[in-house]
Amino acid sequence: MMKTNRIIFLSPHTDDSELGSGGTISKMVENGADVWVVAFSKCEKSIKNSGLTDSKTLVSEFHNSMDVLGVAENRRITLDFEVREFQRDRQLLLDNMIKISKEISPDTVVFPSKSDIHQDHSSVYLEAMRTFKNCSMWCYEMIWNNFGFDPNMFISLNSSQIEKKIAALSCYDSQKHTLKKGYFNDSFIRGLAVARGIQCGCDFAESFEAIRIIW
């Protein structure tokens, strides 16, 4: 069985890693892996535009979410990239990833898919491919953004891990308006996990595009 010992989940914005791979984060923590989560943007501009007065709201929600998933406080990194401006800051994004790679030395890195059409997500994909080419690389699924996602790797999950994913996402009170879009909806999260589980012969699963596996 393949085992990963030190794994980094790259989250363009707070909440992306949970949406794409929250159940897997929970499972990796339970299995004793050294799990890191990097959130590149605190989305302060979006918070201000939404009418909320506290620009640090998403940072607090991110830490609450990580508490639910069991990620240690000293394994969480939050950076200050401006939302929707990652392409402009591409070199700085790459520099930060290189620094993180040197400091953590992961064996596995998980990040958005090549087919993700969000401009910040695609920038993280491109710079992660450059930075972590000597690691195993998986891309997580965000079907509302993905055009042509081709899952070739499945992580089986139990009901507790799915419920932790849902509980982690429920920490994002500032994002409750996204329920209208569906992807924060509990039934959607469970339904996708069931569908991916059926594809790999288990009750629940999250799917990934495995770009490179180094074992």
Side-chain angles (χ1 to χ4, degrees), residues 80-82 85-94:
D80 293 310
F81 286 87
E82 187 176 351
E85 298 293 351
F86 285 28
Q87 293 175 351
R88 179 195 68 191
D89 299 327
R90 184 200 64 78
Q91 186 59 50
L92 184 59
L93 184 65
L94 177 62

Side-chain angles (χ1 to χ4, degrees), residues 2 4 7 9 24 28 108-112 136-140 153 155 208-213:
M2 184 179 66
T4 183
I7 182 168
F9 292 83
T24 299
M28 293 292 180
T108 304
V109 182
V110 187
F111 47 88
S136 293
M137 296 185 290
W138 315 342
C139 293
Y140 52 72
M153 177 178 174
I155 302 293
F208 300 85
E209 292 173 329
I211 299 172
R212 174 171 290 179
I213 298 294

Side-chain angles (χ1 to χ4, degrees), residues 127-142:
E127 302 316 321
M129 289 286 287
R130 292 183 175 93
T131 304
F132 299 104
K133 58 189 176 184
N134 294 323
C135 302
S136 293
M137 296 185 290
W138 315 342
C139 293
Y140 52 72
E141 180 177 26
M142 305 183 83

Side-chain angles (χ1 to χ4, degrees), residues 10-182:
L10 302 182
S11 188
H13 316 106
T14 52
D15 77 20
D16 287 329
S17 60
E18 298 99 304
L19 284 164
S21 49
T24 299
I25 292 172
S26 175
K27 180 171 183 171
M28 293 292 180
V29 170
E30 290 173 11
N31 287 351
D34 186 9
V35 177
W36 294 70
V37 179
V38 180
F40 288 93
S41 177
K42 301 169 185 174
C43 302
E44 293 182 354
K45 183 170 67 175
S46 296
I47 287 292
K48 290 175 183 176
N49 291 343
S50 71
L52 294 172
T53 56
D54 185 359
S55 63
K56 304 298 183 183
T57 296
L58 276 168
V59 178
S60 298
E61 292 172 346
F62 169 75
H63 285 296
N64 292 338
S65 176
M66 292 297 104
D67 286 343
V68 171
L69 296 178
V71 178
E73 190 170 351
N74 65 353
R75 294 297 191 261
R76 312 168 191 173
I77 299 173
T78 55
L79 300 174
D80 293 310
F81 286 87
E82 187 176 351
V83 65
R84 292 185 293 280
E85 298 293 351
F86 285 28
Q87 293 175 351
R88 179 195 68 191
D89 299 327
R90 184 200 64 78
Q91 186 59 50
L92 184 59
L93 184 65
L94 177 62
D95 293 343
N96 274 267
M97 285 193 193
I98 291 171
K99 181 175 182 288
I100 288 166
S101 177
K102 289 178 178 178
E103 291 179 352
I104 300 176
S105 298
D107 53 55
T108 304
V109 182
V110 187
F111 47 88
S113 168
K114 180 180 181 179
S115 67
D116 195 316
I117 61 172
H118 191 293
Q119 62 268 48
D120 292 346
H121 295 199
S122 62
S123 295
V124 169
Y125 167 84
L126 289 171
E127 302 316 321
M129 289 286 287
R130 292 183 175 93
T131 304
F132 299 104
K133 58 189 176 184
N134 294 323
C135 302
S136 293
M137 296 185 290
W138 315 342
C139 293
Y140 52 72
E141 180 177 26
M142 305 183 83
I143 63 173
W144 51 96
N145 284 344
N146 291 153
F147 279 30
F149 189 79
D150 185 20
N152 57 7
M153 177 178 174
F154 298 83
I155 302 293
S156 63
L157 302 170
N158 60 37
S159 59
S160 174
Q161 290 152 356
I162 291 298
E163 293 309 313
K164 282 186 181 180
K165 176 176 182 173
I166 290 170
L169 288 168
S170 73
C171 294
Y172 288 96
D173 288 332
S174 66
Q175 303 303 299
K176 295 300 185 185
H177 65 282
T178 58
L179 284 171
K180 296 178 181 178
K181 300 178 181 178

